[in-house]
Amino acid sequence: MIRIKLLYSLLLLLLSYTGYSQFQIGAELRPKVLADNGYSVPKPADSKPYVYVAQRTRLNTLFKGEYIQTYVSVQDIRIWGDDDNFRASGISGNTTSICLHQGWFMLKPAEWLSLKIGRQLLSYDDQRIISARNWNDYQVTYDAILLKAGNSKNTIDVGISKNAESSKYSILPPQKFTMFDFVRYETTGEQLKWSAIALVTGNSVSDTVDDIRYRSTYGTNLNYSSDLFDARGSLYFQHNLNEHGGKLRAFSGSVYINREFIPAKLVIGAGLDFVSGQDETRTDVDYLAADHAFDLFYGNRHGWYGYMDYFSTMPRQGLQDYMFKAEYRITENMSALADYHYFRLAAGILDPENAGVALPRELGHELDLTLRWKLTKEASLQAGYSFFLITPTLETVKGVAGNPLRFPQFAYLMITVKPEFTFSTTNN
């Protein structure tokens, strides 16, 4: 007890000396058990269900003052048993599992203005192109400078990044962004929230030359809320800004409407997502002169295109997703959800076994059942079961056509514990 009081006194002294008014320390422990019998891709009929445990462990610290904030988050991501540092007499650990999740500082010279610099989470609008992707244990973090200005009604965000392989080598693999810059404006009213974003990205054409392919993505989001229903919609366009990588003309759109049928109990909604793709059945010269496959960049997949993640990598032909969702609040702390998806390709696909013959665009049906339970203030539980009724076209897209397959299904149980402690002081 004496040591705890001494530590607390030292923290208060540090906060007073440095000008900070608040110090927070927290952790996150998130183990999840996954039963894979066709998760992400159909499994061969002679295979067996695969059960494993993935765990995310984080330690977070936040210093918060009147004009400055700093945040550091270190995480360990592992599959139970994947240790690479072990002997017959015992397991020592995994040398590659610990990494920096976030590390940033934020200057706040005025109430309406802030500047955040460092590795940070970014998440905007419907998360189609910029998201945190929380199902992914590592999440998506961005090394960037973020300038934010505005008030409760109008805000503008400017994000700037410049990435390199090392201090001596600037060429990155084509899958990584050399730049990821954006400007976003948002205005909020009593019932309507509207935003617009312009994003410019740069990718190396290859990992051996320094030619950069620059792309521009423009988008808008609308959110409307009333006593009768809630609705959201988004639309994005994408094209190349230079000659590297060829011409690009692509788009994506989404609309979703839900309504509360039983007050504070039952909400039902329906929607459609469309992501453009390249049509293999088109032969006209003008169409073939451009690429029509929309790139989702770091956008969310798991939350929109089914929990089985069959479309974490978007098909070249794009995707149509017709969805129906229902959420029932069992108790104040427990909810049950059911999501249905009917998937189709957005563009035509040819049969690789029969030249010139087009396959049906239907990909199949997915049902996701989820239970969410807030156990305590610090702990929550989530459990889910999903299955996919696949079509021969999906088998072709996934590269498993012609082989006997198991019935695709997937289940998981995830517990999240997030304790947090706050120490504060007032500086005179």
Side-chain angles (χ1 to χ4, degrees):
M1 181 62 69
I2 295 176
R3 291 181 178 179
I4 294 176
K5 289 183 177 179
L6 179 60
L7 177 60
Y8 183 71
S9 299
L10 289 173
L11 285 171
L12 292 181
L13 179 63
L14 176 63
L15 294 174
S16 301
Y17 177 77
T18 59
Y20 291 111
S21 60
Q22 193 176 83
F23 170 74
Q24 293 179 359
I25 183 168
E28 178 184 10
L29 297 99
R30 196 184 80 167
K32 57 183 178 183
V33 183
L34 302 100
D36 180 0
N37 194 31
Y39 175 74
S40 77
V41 64
K43 297 294 190 291
D46 57 357
S47 65
K48 294 182 179 180
Y50 179 52
V51 179
Y52 61 97
V53 181
Q55 179 165 333
R56 178 169 81 190
T57 306
R58 285 180 180 161
L59 179 63
N60 312 313
T61 59
L62 171 66
F63 294 90
K64 191 174 183 180
E66 185 176 359
Y67 301 109
I68 189 170
Q69 295 181 23
T70 66
Y71 185 81
V72 176
S73 176
V74 179
Q75 67 182 8
D76 173 85
I77 307 298
R78 64 176 58 245
I79 303 295
W80 283 11
D82 70 346
D83 306 88
D84 60 5
N85 188 10
F86 61 92
R87 296 180 180 178
S89 58
I91 294 175
S92 301
N94 193 322
T95 59
T96 62
S97 63
I98 296 179
C99 66
L100 178 68
H101 175 237
Q102 293 188 71
W104 53 261
F105 68 90
M106 183 171 67
L107 305 176
K108 198 172 178 63
E111 186 65 28
W112 57 272
L113 182 66
S114 67
L115 179 67
K116 185 189 287 188
I117 301 174
R119 172 156 292 195
Q120 56 192 280
L121 291 176
L122 294 174
S123 180
Y124 289 105
D125 302 314
D126 59 0
Q127 301 186 60
R128 298 292 169 175
I129 55 176
I130 304 179
S131 73
R133 299 176 69 172
N134 192 45
W135 174 257
N136 181 328
D137 289 322
Y138 283 93
Q139 288 198 291
V140 177
T141 51
Y142 304 77
D143 298 318
I145 299 173
L146 179 66
L147 177 67
K148 183 186 290 286
N151 51 36
S152 60
K153 298 291 185 181
N154 299 278
T155 59
I156 185 168
D157 290 26
V158 179
I160 299 173
S161 65
K162 180 64 178 76
N163 302 317
E165 185 75 7
S166 70
S167 61
K168 297 181 175 61
Y169 193 65
S170 61
I171 300 176
L172 286 168
Q175 298 82 7
K176 299 176 69 175
F177 293 102
T178 62
M179 61 175 291
F180 196 87
D181 301 346
F182 65 90
V183 177
R184 178 183 176 273
Y185 169 76
E186 178 184 296
T187 180
T188 303
E190 291 185 3
Q191 292 183 302
L192 182 66
K193 182 169 71 173
W194 172 78
S195 66
I197 189 170
L199 171 71
V200 177
T201 59
N203 298 79
S204 298
V205 176
S206 73
D207 56 5
T208 57
V209 297
D210 57 3
D211 292 335
I212 305 297
R213 176 193 183 189
Y214 293 104
R215 283 173 290 180
S216 182
T217 304
Y218 311 98
T220 183
N221 275 257
L222 289 170
N223 285 269
Y224 175 79
S225 180
S226 71
D227 294 335
L228 295 177
F229 65 92
D230 296 331
R232 61 167 174 79
S234 66
L235 185 63
Y236 298 93
F237 294 95
Q238 202 167 75
H239 67 89
N240 270 2
L241 294 175
N242 61 0
E243 71 279 5
H244 296 303
K247 292 183 178 180
L248 173 65
R249 294 196 296 265
F251 71 96
S252 74
S254 173
V255 63
Y256 184 80
I257 300 174
N258 64 23
R259 181 179 178 180
E260 191 176 60
F261 285 87
I262 301 178
K265 280 289 185 180
L266 178 63
V267 177
I268 297 177
L272 166 66
D273 285 0
F274 187 96
V275 182
S276 70
Q278 193 70 13
D279 195 327
E280 295 181 356
T281 66
R282 295 280 297 272
T283 59
D284 48 297
V285 176
D286 182 64
Y287 181 84
L288 295 178
D291 185 359
H292 299 83
F294 188 87
D295 193 333
L296 293 169
F297 299 134
Y298 290 145
N300 194 359
R301 275 81 156 169
H302 182 81
W304 295 125
Y305 308 124
Y307 290 173
M308 292 192 69
D309 290 337
Y310 270 51
F311 307 107
S312 288
T313 300
M314 190 61 55
R316 280 286 298 160
Q317 298 79 20
L319 186 69
Q320 299 178 60
D321 179 9
Y322 301 84
M323 70 194 77
F324 294 92
K325 300 188 176 186
E327 178 176 355
Y328 183 77
R329 193 171 186 179
I330 302 170
T331 67
E332 184 179 352
N333 296 320
M334 183 184 295
S335 297
L337 301 89
D339 297 355
Y340 164 78
H341 299 267
Y342 169 55
F343 296 109
R344 300 180 80 248
L345 292 175
I349 182 174
L350 294 176
D351 187 346
E353 301 297 327
N354 298 283
V357 177
L359 292 174
R361 296 189 184 185
E362 288 74 16
L363 297 173
H365 309 262
E366 179 175 340
L367 181 63
D368 303 319
L369 303 175
T370 307
L371 177 69
R372 295 175 181 169
W373 186 8
K374 186 175 181 180
L375 303 172
T376 67
K377 178 183 176 182
E378 297 84 9
S380 63
L381 179 147
Q382 182 171 320
Y385 169 74
S386 303
F387 66 84
F388 205 122
L389 303 177
I390 64 177
T391 67
T393 300
L394 180 64
E395 295 177 16
T396 298
V397 170
K398 287 294 184 178
V400 295
N403 300 310
L405 301 171
R406 297 183 66 89
F407 172 60
Q409 51 187 326
F410 161 68
Y412 69 93
L413 176 66
M414 179 172 71
I415 299 176
T416 304
V417 179
K418 300 177 70 173
E420 184 177 276
F421 304 93
T422 301
F423 308 89
S424 60
T425 184
T426 302
N427 301 322
N428 297 321

